[in-house]
Each structure stands twice: as structure tokens, then as C-alpha cells.
């Protein structure tokens, strides 16, 4: 029986790139995976064909040979070739292990590439939450932080071995950091139990760090916070994370900024909002109010006569600075007209006199217009 075309099996065009191949294989492999189809020999055979096709097409040399000669490039009829495709047993299992790592390595902590065993290991990244004020975000600030982290042991220089000795290659995994076991046409891989995936064992550990290669130490760092940072901004300090193992590089330290709620200003991106209460008389007759700005200065805002509640006034370029330069946002002053309380008898008499002079009619067009609409609405309901 003729073998199916590899491109047709994966459902891709002959000029499909690596990303399209991977996506197509992942989708179909999940569909026919033996774990999803227990006891289904047809699905198992289909899964094996898909893996074989992807193994060939993902390799540039194998793909070029297949495009030129088809399946004959691998079946030995041409007196050579690759011989890797269509293999069974341990050859196929090893090939499928490579395919699985290529497809799913990014979910296993490998970043899409094959993990290195037995060599220097990069230290872990660290997170530090730093709370700053809105003024700090406006002006930029230099802050010092103190944290406890693992640093390379001075005695053994991070090797974990006692001075004068050195780690030796693990005899169980021969330095690979992992061991493999054959199960059918699958190759199961697990971390070496003898060296915990390090590929090396320390027979004579350093006394100061107990063979860990690092020790906890408190350190103080200076953090530069630029102008214009927003809540949740992340700042990376390279090589300030946990110490690497066996001389490997340090991890990074990530500073996550949390901006405190301000007692006067509200922030929305580059713009600032400042609600200010104004007396009813100022709103009616007009006047002037003095408002603060985040740079520590003051600005005068003219309130025109008849200003309503919620009216906004814009102060250009008085908002937050744009990160890495590029100007400032605006400051918006929003009025909140305050109704007088604790009126004296005289004040009450004056307000009644004002109402009697038409203060509740032509002087309040919005109120009058609303109640006129209500009257019309109720009249329509009774007709």
C-alpha cells in the first residue's frame, strides 16, 4: 500500500513554514494521540504516520530530499539516504522524543529549545513589590531596597564542592541529567534520581554552603524610577536575582511598582483629575479659585458665572510626564457645587426672596426644562 503524502497528512501547503508545520502537527497529533484513543489501533497508526511526517518536514535536509525524491529518499531503494523516517522501535521513539521536546518544550521551562543538563544553570528570577507615591511617579526618584537572596558562595566560588575538590560526572545518567526508558514506541524521560538533573554529584561538599554553591545574604540595591511610570510598571535589574549553579549566570530581579492612591489627584494615563468643591454663590456669580498642581505649584482658575456641577476646566501640560520624554498630559479641574448648610434665619429669608423673584424658574433652565418634560410625559399617559 502506497504511503500517504506527508504534506497531505499534515494538511499543509508544500511551501508551509516551520510555524505552520508545527501548528498543523500539534492539532492533528492531539486528535489521534493514543491517550485520547485507548485501544484504537487505527488512531495509533495515524498518530505514528503524523509524527513521521513532521519529523521529516521539520528538518531542512530531510525535507529537501523528500521534496525531490519522495518516500524513496528514506526507504533504502536509492542506496543511502536518511533512513530516519519510517523507522520503528527505539529509532522512532528517539525521534518522537525530539519532536515532543520541539513542540512542547516551551511549556516545560525550556523556552522552546532543548534543556541543557549537567552544565551551569542560570539562577532564578526574583520579584520585589515597591510602593511609591504619585509625586515619585511624576518627578522620578532614586530608591534603595533591601532584600535577601542567594549569592554565590565565596568559599567554593559557587561550585558546591569543598576547595581542592570538584564535582564528578553522575554515573547513573553519565552527565545527561535525565534517564530514558522504552515503553512501546514511546521513549519516557525522567529526571535522574541520583543527581536531581544536575548531571554531576558532589562527594565532598563545601562546608560553608553545604554543597548548595550559594548562601543567603542581605543586600541593598539602588533603583532608578523614571518620570511617568504607571501603576504595575516592571523594572528589570539584570543579574540581581538568585545566584546561578556551577558558575552559571545570576537570574534577574524584577521590580513591580505600585502607586499609592493620592488624596487630591486622580490619574488616568497621562491626565490628572482634581475635583474641587465651590460655593453655590461662586458658581452662580462667578469668581476665581486657586488649585494645586502636582509639581508643587499653584494655578488660578476663573469660574464663570452660572457654572454647573461637574463642569471641567483643562490646564494644559499640567498632567503626568510621558515616560522617556515627549511632553505632559493635562490637568482637569472638575467642579462640585456645594449646597449651603446650617443657614441662618437671615440667609433663609434671602433665599426665599430670591425664589420669589423667579430664582426657581428662568434662573434654573435645566430644572425647569426637566419638569416640563415630566409634565408632558404624565399628560400623554392620561390621554
Amino acid at each position: 500500500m502506497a504511503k500517504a503524502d506527508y504534506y497531505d497528512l499534515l494538511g499543509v501547503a508544500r511551501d508551509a513554514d516551520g510555524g505552520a508545520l508545527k501548528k498543523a502537527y500539534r492539532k492533528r497529533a492531539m486528535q489521534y494521540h493514543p491517550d485520547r484513543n485507548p485501544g484504537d489501533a487505527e488512531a495509533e497508526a495515524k498518530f505514528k504516520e503524523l509524527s513521521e511526517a513532521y519529523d521529516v518536514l521539520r528538518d531542512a535536509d530531510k525535507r529537501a530530499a523528500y521534496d525531490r525524491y519522495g518516500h524513496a529518499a528514506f526507504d533504502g531503494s536509492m542506496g543511502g539516504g536518511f533512513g530516519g523516517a519510517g523507522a520503528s522501535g527505539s529509532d522512532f521513539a528517539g525521534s518522537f522524543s525530539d519532536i515532543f521536546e520541539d513542540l512542547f518544550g516551551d511549556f516545560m521551562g525550556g523556552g522552546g529549545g532543548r534543556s541543557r543538563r549537567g552544565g551551569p544553570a542560570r539562577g532564578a528570577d526574583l520579584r520585589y513589590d515597591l510602593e511609591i507615591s504619585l509625586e515619585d511617579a511624576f518627578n522620578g526618584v532614586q530608591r534603595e531596597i533591601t532584600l535577601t537572596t542567594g549569592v554565590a558562595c565565596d568559599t567554593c566560588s559557587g561550585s558546591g564542592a569543598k576547595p581542592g575538590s570538584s564535582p564528578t560526572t553522575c554515573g547513573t545518567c553519565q552527565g545527561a541529567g535525565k534517564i530514558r526508558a522504552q515503553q512501546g514506541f514511546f521513549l519516557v524521560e525522567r529526571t535522574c534520581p541520583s543527581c536531581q538533573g544536575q548531571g554531576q554529584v558532589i562527594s565532598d561538599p563545601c562546608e560553608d554552603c553545604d554543597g548548595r554553591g550559594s548562601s543567603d545574604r542581605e543586600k541593598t540595591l539602588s533603583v532608578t524610577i523614571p518620570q511617568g511610570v504607571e501603576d504595575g510598571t516592571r523594572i528589570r535589574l539584570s543579574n540581581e536575582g538568585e545566584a546561578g549553579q556551577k558558575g552559571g549566570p545570576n537570574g534577574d530581579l524584577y521590580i513591580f511598582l505600585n502607586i499609592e492612591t493620592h488624596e487630591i489627584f486622580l490619574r488616568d494615563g497621562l491626565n490628572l483629575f482634581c475635583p474641587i468643591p465651590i460655593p453655590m454663590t461662586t458658581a452662580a456669580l462667578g469668581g476665581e479659585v486657586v488649585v494645586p498642581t502636582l509639581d508643587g505649584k499653584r494655578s488660578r482658575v476663573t469660574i464663570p458665572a452660572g457654572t454647573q456641577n461637574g463642569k471641567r476646566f483643562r490646564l494644559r501640560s499640567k498632567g503626568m510626564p510621558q515616560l522617556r520624554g515627549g511632553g505632559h498630559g493635562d490637568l482637569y479641574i472638575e467642579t462640585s457645587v456645594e449646597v449651603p448648610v446650617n443657614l441662618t434665619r437671615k440667609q433663609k429669608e434671602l433665599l426665599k426672596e430670591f425664589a420669589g423673584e423667579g430664582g426657581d424658574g428662568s434662573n434654573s433652565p435645566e430644572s425647569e426644562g426637566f419638569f416640563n418634560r415630566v409634565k408632558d410625559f404624565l399628560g400623554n399617559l392620561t390621554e
Side-chain angles (χ1 to χ4, degrees), residues 21-343:
L21 286 171
K22 180 182 289 189
K23 183 178 180 180
Y25 173 71
R26 180 180 291 184
K27 179 180 180 181
R28 298 196 175 210
M30 289 297 184
Q31 179 182 354
Y32 293 102
H33 196 283
D35 289 346
R36 291 191 172 187
N37 304 274
D40 189 337
E42 186 176 344
E44 183 174 322
K46 186 72 172 180
F47 178 75
K48 188 172 181 180
E49 287 182 345
L50 290 168
S51 300
E52 178 183 308
Y54 180 67
D55 183 42
V56 169
L57 298 184
R58 75 190 182 107
D59 184 286
D61 293 333
K62 291 181 181 179
R63 183 174 180 175
Y66 179 76
D67 289 343
R68 186 172 183 181
Y69 301 109
H71 295 295
F74 308 100
D75 60 10
S77 62
M78 298 180 61
F82 290 89
S88 60
S90 62
D91 288 341
F92 173 75
S95 175
F96 178 74
S97 175
D98 292 341
I99 292 173
F100 185 86
E101 191 167 350
D102 174 55
L103 280 174
F104 304 105
D106 51 337
F107 298 109
M108 309 295 284
R114 199 165 302 177
S115 58
R116 296 177 58 197
R117 304 285 184 173
R122 182 179 181 274
D125 293 334
L126 297 178
R127 171 176 177 148
Y128 187 95
D129 294 321
L130 179 61
E131 195 166 73
I132 63 173
S133 66
L134 188 60
E135 287 86 352
D136 290 338
F138 180 88
N139 297 307
V141 69
Q142 196 85 13
R143 293 284 293 272
E144 286 192 347
I145 63 171
T146 301
L147 69 158
T148 301
T149 182
V151 297
C153 175
D154 293 331
T155 304
C156 66
S157 300
S159 70
K162 187 175 182 178
S165 65
S166 59
T168 58
T169 301
C170 175
T172 303
C173 64
Q174 304 303 316
K178 54 190 178 181
I179 56 177
R180 296 181 175 184
Q182 185 74 41
Q183 291 185 4
F185 63 84
F186 285 101
L187 192 65
V188 178
E189 193 173 87
R190 61 188 177 93
T191 301
C192 176
S194 300
C195 64
Q196 285 75 49
Q198 297 302 312
Q200 294 180 324
V201 292
I202 300 174
S203 56
D204 196 2
C206 172
E207 297 178 355
D208 289 344
C209 67
D210 296 324
R212 292 186 296 123
S214 63
S215 57
D216 292 336
R217 187 180 302 171
E218 189 177 85
K219 64 179 179 180
T220 301
L221 300 171
S222 181
V223 183
T224 300
I225 299 172
Q227 290 181 317
V229 293
E230 296 193 39
D231 191 70
T233 295
R234 185 183 70 175
I235 298 174
R236 187 182 74 169
L237 299 184
S238 299
N239 301 318
E240 296 294 351
E242 290 282 356
Q245 298 179 357
K246 302 176 185 174
N250 292 352
D252 297 330
L253 172 63
Y254 290 92
I255 311 293
F256 284 80
L257 301 180
N258 176 37
I259 300 179
E260 300 168 345
T261 301
H262 200 274
E263 59 181 349
I264 295 177
F265 299 101
L266 301 173
R267 180 181 182 180
D268 183 10
L270 291 178
N271 296 323
L272 293 174
F273 294 84
C274 180
I276 59 170
I278 60 173
M280 181 186 71
T281 52
T282 302
L285 302 175
E288 190 177 72
V289 295
V290 177
V291 297
T293 54
L294 200 53
D295 57 5
K297 299 179 181 179
R298 298 179 181 182
S299 291
R300 294 183 180 275
V301 178
T302 300
I303 306 296
T307 294
Q308 301 299 311
N309 189 62
K311 173 69 175 178
R312 283 184 179 179
F313 300 89
R314 181 170 69 171
L315 302 181
R316 295 181 183 275
S317 300
K318 293 294 184 180
M320 295 295 295
Q322 189 168 354
L323 192 63
R324 303 183 186 88
H328 289 65
D330 299 326
L331 170 60
Y332 290 89
I333 306 301
E334 186 171 307
T335 60
S336 175
V337 179
E338 187 175 17
V339 177
V341 296
N342 302 321
L343 297 174

